[in-house]
Amino acid sequence: MQSLHYPNLFSPLHFDRFSLKNRFVMGSMHTNLEEIPGGFERAAAFYGLRAQGGVGLIITGGISPNDAGCVAAKAATLQTKEECAQHALITREVHKHGAKICMQILHTGRYGYHPKIVAPSAIQAPINFFKPKEMTEEDIWSTIDDYGRCAQLAEEAGYDGVEIMGSEGYLINQFLTTKTNQRQDAWGGSYENRMKFPLAIIRKIKEFVSDDFIIIYRISLLDLVSDGSTWEEVILLAKALEQCGVHILNSGIGWHEARIPTIASVVPPTAFSWITSKLKEEVAIPVIAVNRINTPELAESIISHNQADLVSLARPFLADPFLVQKSSEGLANEINTCIACNQACLDHTFQMKISSCLVNPQACHETELVYHHTDQPKKIAVVGGGPAGMAFAHIAALRGHDVTLYEREPQLGGQFVMAAKVPGKEDYHHTIRYFENMLQKYGVKVILNIEFTPEMYHNYHFDALVLANGVIPRMPEIIGIHHLKVLTYVDVLYKGANVGQNVAIIGSGGIGFDVATYITTRNEESPMDLQNYFKDWGIDTELEHRGGVKKADPSSPRRKVYLLKRSPGKHGQSLGKTTGWIHKATLQSRGVEMLSSVDYQKIDDLGLHISVNGEYRLLEVDNVIICAGQDSSRDLYDVLSSRIDNVHVIGGAFELRELDAKAAIFQACHLASQF
Ligand code: NAP
Ligand code: SF4
């Protein structure tokens, strides 16, 4: 597949005795599919579709070489011929479409969520309940053997190679640093001793597999934890791995326990390609750049600037299996872009649910959520052009229905228009752009600036009505709620209302956090500035400190902000599992005062009068911003359902908890698939 559009991305890569047809790598992701009955069939459909979409190389989710190394009890391993047969379902499907696929071998060490975990030393990870057992010399050698046998079985199962997971703080990484390896024997002490483990694994794998089998090693370039490896140590290891016969080095950034975001939406695009570029200067084998590469433009720029030989995109392949093909055909505007929200992928993984994607609920459900062409086309009116309405409308239209979408506002996007204003959520624009293009592609008639009425339904002879008219902000009953200093989050995020220097935010859910982030961001001109990100989170780009971390240096707060809630307990509990801590740490670094157990008394010229645990306080603020949740816009439903038979309600208008965009888009796509 050659392309005029991204010439570097679509040039083949030849190395050693191997060739890859383009520079796209689909990075490893845990989907939790392999652990469920019938999961390998579903995984084959999942990977097969991405192969059909044109990707050159796929790396699977991590598979353990033995029981101790599993992510969780009974998670997938490859230790027997029976397991091998299941993996062959995946490799056959991928090879049908001319892609290559490598299986990632992952031993979690002290990160596994089960009682049988082992590690170089018996030091518990701060993110795990379980304490590992210290590996004996015998355990170490048998684990090395397990890696060798696992790779051999992977070759038998038809994989083109393996990726050895040596980063993110998993077992191999645990051997490399004194933080987790305090052994006194031949596997601990000096760096030469600590790096024996990965080198022994590579040598063992070489013994067990043929010369036609690709070996990728994911090396931790930045541990982002104190007492991590120095850059000199990283390079020493990289060169030794190359000597041992590793064919490709993939980049690993940050241990899982690191308190620095590395893939969330607050991380600027291509934030870590500079370090892969430094690795590339040191080795002759191909290197892969990773993290926050979600468009073909960004990927092309990395390859064209010679920062890496390959680019790994993981979550973007959940969002759009055909992103490679669309790139090659110059249809980048039709790519459903990953917005780095983590809500349906990583958050699901950590909750042991099947991964999917907020913007593409078909991901990992390829065999279950299918959009067949309809043989009974209907004339459908959709009311509301937010994520739910747009998702429903374009899928109903692609299935062959005649769809008209009515939106009250002058633009499409609904809640996503506001979300995209929040620093670090700029990528939400991509979803609006994608849906708009799909509405156009599938011939949905879009009518803006209009209030839908029951008369329109009858006059235009619709067969069905789908209400996705969203929510309205809740106004709490507080004395002075109509005071001039009171604003809603819609005033601030949608209408661009001016906000004073001292602000109280009532409500500390996702939107309270978003508004607090918006009004405290220092540089609204370039909130995704790379240097600010490094400074705010203490990333040492000079590589003078171990692990690449130094003291964070956030700049002084822009405003005084209070974030308030009535309930007791910590703030941020309702936020995403893998991103909530980031939002909270950001606000803390900006001096936002978070108060719980608040009773709101009144708002007047002096400010907001409250009591906290019964103690009176006056917050002398210029503005009070209401972020107290929403009420459903069900008035229209009540009017319409009494006069129209075929009415369906989706998204926030259906049930308040469905304001959650993941649930809204999921519900919209499922309804559209059944119409
Ligand atoms: P929310 O998560 O329900 O939070 C509403 C907040 O308002 C709570 O802190 C609640 O705390 C307070 N509240 C509720 N009723 C109140 C009343 N009558 N008077 C005063 N305070 C009241 O709603 P949201 O923040 O609008 O978010 C809506 C949805 O969007 C959520 O489902 C969320 O998942 C999603 N979202 C998520 C993110 C994210 O994860 N980053 C960002 C944006 C939106 P008390 O009851 O304790 O006062
Ligand atoms: Fe990307 Fe969010 Fe989809 Fe995950 S759920 S793949 S982060 S858009």
Side-chain angles (χ1 to χ4, degrees):
M1 194 189 288
Q2 291 288 331
S3 170
L4 294 174
H5 302 282
Y6 306 99
N8 294 286
L9 269 179
F10 285 96
S11 64
L13 179 71
H14 306 288
F15 58 101
D16 201 285
R17 58 181 65 204
F18 310 102
S19 301
L20 295 173
K21 63 181 174 181
N22 56 45
R23 307 304 181 97
F24 283 98
V25 177
M26 174 173 151
S28 173
M29 287 176 284
H30 301 296
T31 62
N32 287 334
L33 280 175
E34 290 83 353
E35 283 78 21
I36 59 168
F40 275 89
E41 286 77 3
R42 283 177 62 175
F46 167 72
Y47 288 118
L49 194 65
R50 274 78 193 159
Q52 191 188 340
V55 66
L57 172 64
I58 292 173
I59 301 174
T60 69
I63 302 291
S64 179
N66 59 28
D67 292 345
C70 286
V71 178
K74 303 211 172 95
T77 66
L78 181 50
Q79 305 181 78
T80 64
K81 297 250 181 209
E82 291 72 48
E83 288 165 325
C84 212
Q86 296 219 289
H87 284 266
L89 296 174
I90 295 175
T91 56
R92 270 200 299 274
E93 197 57 37
V94 167
H95 288 152
K96 264 191 216 165
H97 303 289
K100 288 197 163 58
I101 181 161
C102 292
M103 190 190 83
Q104 187 187 75
I105 307 184
L106 165 70
H107 190 306
T108 53
R110 69 179 192 157
Y111 279 169
Y113 290 111
H114 58 90
K116 288 190 186 157
I117 55 175
V118 296
S121 299
I123 304 169
Q124 190 169 351
I127 55 170
N128 202 351
F129 310 116
F130 298 102
K131 188 172 179 182
K133 171 183 110 62
E134 178 171 318
M135 293 168 86
T136 62
E137 174 90 17
E138 200 187 336
D139 291 335
I140 292 174
W141 282 115
S142 74
T143 302
I144 292 166
D145 279 346
D146 292 339
Y147 270 93
R149 261 194 303 279
C150 184
Q152 185 182 41
L153 288 169
E155 188 168 26
E156 275 182 49
Y159 287 106
D160 300 283
V162 286
E163 174 176 86
I164 304 306
M165 173 42 116
S167 63
E168 324 305 277
Y170 290 119
L171 181 71
I172 293 176
N173 227 177
Q174 291 158 26
F175 267 89
L176 289 169
T177 74
T178 52
K179 182 183 185 69
T180 40
N181 179 353
Q182 294 178 0
R183 301 178 71 92
Q184 308 291 324
D185 61 6
W187 303 94
S190 68
Y191 190 64
E192 281 66 24
N193 279 358
R194 284 181 273 132
M195 71 179 198
K196 269 187 194 162
F197 185 63
L199 299 180
I201 288 172
I202 301 300
R203 287 194 196 99
K204 181 60 71 180
I205 289 174
K206 285 281 196 194
E207 271 176 38
F208 275 76
V209 300
S210 76
D211 289 342
D212 294 328
F213 197 63
I214 301 171
I215 300 177
I216 306 171
Y217 183 93
R218 189 154 185 194
I219 185 167
S220 184
L221 299 181
L222 284 171
D223 292 332
L224 299 182
V225 290
S226 56
D227 297 330
S229 295
T230 62
W231 182 243
E232 292 70 29
E233 289 169 346
V234 172
I235 294 308
L236 202 62
L237 175 63
K239 291 185 170 178
L241 290 165
E242 185 177 19
Q243 283 280 312
C244 283
V246 164
H247 301 111
I248 300 177
L249 286 174
N250 193 1
S251 308
I253 310 290
W255 289 28
H256 284 314
E257 67 200 65
R259 293 291 88 183
I260 296 176
T262 54
I263 60 167
S265 59
V266 298
V267 180
T270 69
F272 295 101
S273 51
W274 62 276
I275 189 111
T276 303
S277 170
K278 283 185 82 65
L279 171 69
K280 186 166 165 55
E281 289 165 15
E282 304 284 349
V283 292
I285 53 178
V287 297
I288 308 179
V290 295
N291 289 27
R292 291 294 280 132
I293 307 166
N294 64 346
T295 66
E297 286 74 22
L298 293 171
E300 172 74 8
S301 117
I302 290 170
I303 303 292
S304 66
H305 288 98
N306 205 25
Q307 289 183 298
D309 304 281
L310 294 157
V311 280
S312 170
L313 293 77
R315 296 169 299 169
F317 279 100
L318 288 175
D320 196 330
F322 286 91
L323 80 88
V324 176
Q325 185 179 314
K326 289 176 185 175
S327 305
S328 85
E329 293 171 357
L331 299 174
N333 258 344
E334 293 192 5
I335 293 175
N336 195 0
T337 305
C338 165
I339 56 175
C341 66
N342 286 357
Q343 287 182 43
C345 51
L346 274 180
D347 284 352
H348 277 205
T349 305
F350 285 104
Q351 292 159 15
M352 300 296 168
K353 292 186 194 161
I354 302 298
S355 289
S356 190
C357 174
L358 182 143
V359 298
N360 172 27
Q362 279 186 311
C364 298
H365 296 77
E366 285 75 12
T367 53
E368 302 180 323
L369 179 56
V370 184
Y371 306 141
H372 293 297
H373 202 269
T374 180
D375 50 11
Q376 292 179 314
K378 292 189 185 68
K379 189 167 175 184
I380 307 171
V382 179
V383 179
M390 291 194 291
F392 175 87
H394 91 269
I395 289 165
L398 81 79
R399 293 192 51 227
H401 295 294
D402 175 4
V403 185
T404 306
L405 174 62
Y406 296 91
E407 167 57 50
R408 190 174 33 207
E409 296 293 327
Q411 60 183 326
L412 293 172
Q415 299 288 321
F416 270 33
V417 176
M418 287 188 274
K421 297 256 178 69
V422 178
K425 290 192 170 179
E426 291 78 0
D427 279 351
Y428 282 59
H429 279 304
H430 282 300
T431 306
I432 302 175
R433 180 263 306 149
Y434 168 74
F435 280 141
E436 282 177 339
N437 284 327
M438 291 301 103
L439 294 174
Q440 194 180 19
K441 180 170 176 157
Y442 295 110
V444 175
K445 293 175 270 307
V446 175
I447 305 178
L448 302 174
N449 293 306
I450 196 160
E451 284 287 349
F452 188 81
T453 63
E455 289 67 37
M456 291 160 81
Y457 184 84
H458 294 296
N459 291 347
Y460 297 122
H461 307 291
F462 285 108
D463 304 313
L465 176 64
V466 174
L467 279 179
N469 56 327
V471 292
I472 43 173
R474 178 183 297 133
M475 291 304 275
E477 291 180 9
I478 302 172
I479 298 165
I481 192 73
H482 300 297
H483 193 281
L484 278 179
K485 63 175 60 181
V486 177
L487 300 168
T488 66
Y489 66 85
V490 180
D491 295 327
V492 177
L493 291 177
Y494 193 76
K495 299 180 184 160
N498 285 330
V499 176
Q501 272 309 110
N502 297 291
V503 180
I505 297 175
I506 290 186
S508 169
I511 291 179
F513 267 76
D514 277 356
V515 168
T517 305
Y518 177 70
I519 64 174
T520 55
T521 295
R522 163 191 50 221
N523 181 358
E524 282 176 29
E525 300 300 306
S526 56
M528 294 302 265
D529 181 279
L530 201 50
Q531 295 314 317
N532 285 344
Y533 161 72
F534 293 143
K535 204 158 88 59
D536 285 353
W537 292 98
I539 298 172
D540 170 25
T541 52
E542 302 300 316
L543 300 173
E544 288 166 352
H545 297 75
R546 281 198 166 273
V549 273
K550 61 181 183 183
K551 197 169 179 314
D553 178 23
S555 55
S556 44
R558 187 171 154 214
R559 304 189 150 87
K560 175 66 195 169
V561 174
Y562 302 91
L563 186 59
L564 312 172
K565 67 184 182 90
R566 298 168 304 176
S567 49
K570 289 183 185 166
H571 285 244
Q573 302 288 63
S574 64
L575 304 179
K577 190 165 172 60
T578 58
T579 50
W581 67 271
I582 302 169
H583 300 306
K584 204 168 161 187
T586 301
L587 296 190
Q588 279 166 339
S589 75
R590 295 176 185 179
V592 172
E593 203 172 319
M594 299 184 197
L595 301 176
S596 308
S597 304
V598 174
D599 183 26
Y600 306 111
Q601 296 181 347
K602 67 173 175 178
I603 301 163
D604 62 16
D605 291 347
L606 295 177
L608 175 62
H609 302 255
I610 58 171
S611 68
V612 182
N613 288 320
E615 205 166 299
Y616 170 77
R617 257 184 96 172
L618 168 62
L619 306 180
E620 295 179 38
V621 293
D622 309 305
N623 289 110
V624 177
I625 305 176
I626 308 298
C627 302
Q630 296 80 21
D631 293 319
S632 293
S633 317
R634 287 185 69 105
D635 294 355
L636 190 57
Y637 175 75
D638 294 339
V639 173
L640 291 171
S641 59
S642 60
R643 298 172 58 182
I644 298 170
D645 290 338
N646 203 358
V647 185
H648 305 260
V649 192
I650 56 174
F654 173 73
E655 198 178 349
L656 269 187
R657 64 181 173 78
E658 308 292 355
L659 172 58
D660 168 5
K662 180 183 77 173
I665 294 175
F666 177 86
Q667 193 187 24
C669 294
H670 274 265
L671 181 65
S673 74
Q674 290 154 14
F675 236 75

